[in-house]
Amino acid sequence: MKFRKLSAIALSAVLLLSLLAGCKQSTSPFVSTSPSDSATPDTSPSASSDIQTIDEDAAYASNAADEVMATVDGTDITWAELFYNIHYFTSTASGTTGAITDWDADYEDGISYADYVLNESIDYILKDMAIVYGARQLGVTLSEDDEAEIQANWDTTVTEQGGEEAFAATLEAEYCTPDILMEMLRTSYLAQSCFDELYGPDGAKLSDDEVADYTAEDGYMMAKHILLKTTNDDETEMTDEEKAAVYAQMEEILADLQSYDGDDFDAYFSQVMQDVSQDPGSLANFPDGYLFLDGEMVTEFEDATRALEIGELSGIVETSFGYHIIYRLPISYDDTPMSVAQYGQYSLRYIVARQMFDAVMEEWRNSLDVQYTDAYNALDFSTMYAVG
């Protein structure tokens, strides 16, 4: 997801655990993910309460809310801040694998439940602190418009939730506080401001050459195509006679394209594609062409595209879908790759900028001075939680 902006609608539409899951989880493959991100458990408050058999109230009460767990560049991280994240990742883990009955048991790849929950919890806090650190380095602050938007969204949400007391009670049920949530929202805006400062909105500051260099080894290709299917509506294969008729029709289309003598072949191909192609996916979702990686298209289509020069037209290419005429295009860095289309309209330029920004944030995080307290080092999930 893009960093920003949890609107008043988003804040009020999903209460709180699932709301903040939207801040934490990265559903796009171009964003670093944690081991559990491949699963999509129901992390709403009602769902998590059905799954959990552990006493979270007792776990929260094991330390004072203001007990300092760590300092980051001199800023205290309290138990209240840490436990909200512990609560979230406990729900994530149990939603993925079922109720936690042994904190020392293997969660994934030799990582225990306790280590997963604690490591992920502190990791997200440090990521937020890295944004604060980076903003200082860049001289970035929230604008007056940002501050006004944050406050307006907050005020609307509080009103929709029945007032400050009701909203605070909802937050408390998820081991959160208004101060913790507000700081998360402000950091989300600050992250977007840092991103915009470095790369521009949606990565606009990145040149085509920079994106091309960054993705040079990925093997992106882009192409439009015309498809005439050789399967029937019920997905059965056409007879040889029917396929021969389709092939003859495709020969006529190819001859027409090859005889074009105008000055805008791309527009002409697109019009023919719209008129006769039987690939609803390209017509509806990728009218400017498929932007794809190795392994995302059938082999015959990929091999034929790879063999073409930019701007070159193929002959008739047969795949399991039917007969194709492929027109290879230069890569458009402002188009959405097929690999992320299911997650939203993210341009390749934006994806590269996000990957670059992730690397910068990691550098910022590594620059933090993190000191853990005795209270943090003494945390023991097996004794902190009463398993029921």
Side-chain angles (χ1 to χ4, degrees):
M1 61 176 282
K2 297 189 178 183
F3 294 103
R4 221 178 236 176
K5 288 183 176 179
L6 291 179
S7 65
I9 294 174
L11 278 170
S12 58
V14 188
L15 288 176
L16 247 307
L17 191 56
S18 53
L19 158 74
L20 297 180
C23 294
K24 291 174 179 295
Q25 288 184 316
S26 299
T27 56
S28 304
F30 52 88
V31 180
S32 300
T33 57
S34 61
S36 65
D37 285 341
S38 58
T40 54
D42 183 351
T43 56
S44 64
S46 59
S48 63
S49 63
D50 290 341
I51 294 169
Q52 294 299 114
T53 61
I54 55 180
D55 189 344
E56 289 200 281
D57 286 342
Y60 184 59
S62 65
N63 287 281
D66 60 357
E67 179 74 48
V68 176
M69 295 284 125
T71 60
V72 181
D73 288 345
T75 298
D76 290 342
I77 305 301
T78 66
W79 176 238
E81 295 171 89
L82 180 62
F83 192 80
Y84 165 70
N85 288 276
I86 288 174
H87 166 64
Y88 170 78
F89 284 107
T90 296
S91 297
T92 298
S94 60
T96 301
T97 65
I100 301 171
T101 58
D102 181 359
W103 285 98
D104 294 324
D106 182 52
Y107 172 67
E108 187 172 88
D109 297 332
I111 301 172
S112 70
Y113 281 91
D115 285 344
Y116 164 75
V117 169
L118 186 56
N119 291 344
E120 291 293 307
S121 298
I122 196 66
D123 181 65
Y124 268 95
I125 291 173
L126 294 180
K127 285 179 179 177
D128 280 354
M129 297 300 293
I131 291 297
V132 174
Y133 172 91
R136 288 199 303 267
Q137 306 308 305
L138 296 173
V140 168
T141 59
L142 294 178
S143 68
E144 291 183 4
D145 287 345
D146 285 338
E147 297 282 9
E149 186 175 333
I150 291 169
Q151 191 60 53
N153 288 338
W154 184 270
D155 292 342
T156 300
T157 301
V158 169
T159 299
E160 291 177 348
Q161 294 304 315
E164 292 183 2
E165 290 187 9
F167 188 48
T170 301
L171 289 167
E172 184 179 0
E174 299 302 332
Y175 303 94
C176 193
T177 68
D179 286 346
I180 290 173
L181 180 59
M182 177 59 83
E183 190 59 31
M184 291 173 65
L185 296 177
R186 288 175 59 83
T187 302
S188 176
Y189 273 69
L190 194 60
Q192 183 67 52
S193 296
C194 290
F195 178 88
D196 290 349
E197 175 68 18
L198 289 170
Y199 305 106
D202 296 324
K205 289 184 179 181
L206 285 182
S207 68
D208 285 357
D209 287 343
E210 288 174 308
V211 181
D213 288 345
Y214 193 91
T215 59
E217 296 183 3
D218 294 335
Y220 277 104
M221 293 180 279
M222 192 163 184
K224 294 178 181 177
H225 79 132
I226 294 166
L227 167 68
L228 295 185
K229 295 167 62 176
T230 55
T231 55
N232 300 303
D233 291 341
D234 62 0
E235 302 303 320
T236 58
E237 189 76 9
M238 289 182 175
T239 65
D240 289 344
E241 292 78 9
E242 291 171 325
K243 290 177 67 175
V246 173
Y247 192 89
Q249 182 183 355
M250 194 59 123
E251 286 183 313
E252 293 179 6
I253 295 170
L254 179 59
D256 175 66
L257 291 168
Q258 290 173 333
S259 65
Y260 176 79
D261 61 359
D263 57 5
D264 193 351
F265 180 78
D266 182 79
Y268 186 71
F269 186 93
S270 295
Q271 186 59 58
V272 175
M273 180 179 74
Q274 290 290 330
D275 290 343
V276 304
S277 182
Q278 296 173 339
D279 177 10
S282 65
L283 297 176
N285 302 317
F286 299 95
D288 296 329
Y290 285 119
L291 177 56
F292 60 95
L293 295 165
D294 286 347
E296 292 186 319
M297 309 293 274
V298 292
T299 301
E300 298 89 347
F301 190 100
E302 287 188 6
D303 289 347
T305 303
R306 191 178 294 107
L308 295 172
E309 298 293 334
I310 301 298
E312 188 177 1
L313 193 68
S314 75
I316 298 173
V317 177
E318 184 175 6
T319 74
S320 57
F321 295 99
Y323 297 120
H324 308 252
I325 298 171
I326 302 169
Y327 172 43
R328 185 163 184 181
L329 303 168
I331 293 174
S332 170
Y333 300 108
D334 293 314
D335 272 59
T336 300
M338 290 180 62
S339 57
V340 303
Q342 63 180 308
Y343 302 103
Q345 296 301 304
Y346 299 108
S347 72
L348 183 56
R349 192 183 313 277
Y350 172 75
I351 292 168
V352 169
R354 272 302 307 267
Q355 291 172 337
M356 289 179 172
F357 190 57
D358 286 345
V360 170
M361 287 195 295
E362 186 65 22
E363 292 177 4
W364 291 343
R365 178 180 164 172
N366 291 337
S367 298
L368 298 174
D369 178 20
V370 184
Q371 301 293 327
Y372 296 100
T373 65
D374 290 343
Y376 178 91
N377 292 327
L379 291 176
D380 183 342
F381 281 66
S382 295
T383 57
M384 187 169 70
Y385 281 92
V387 180

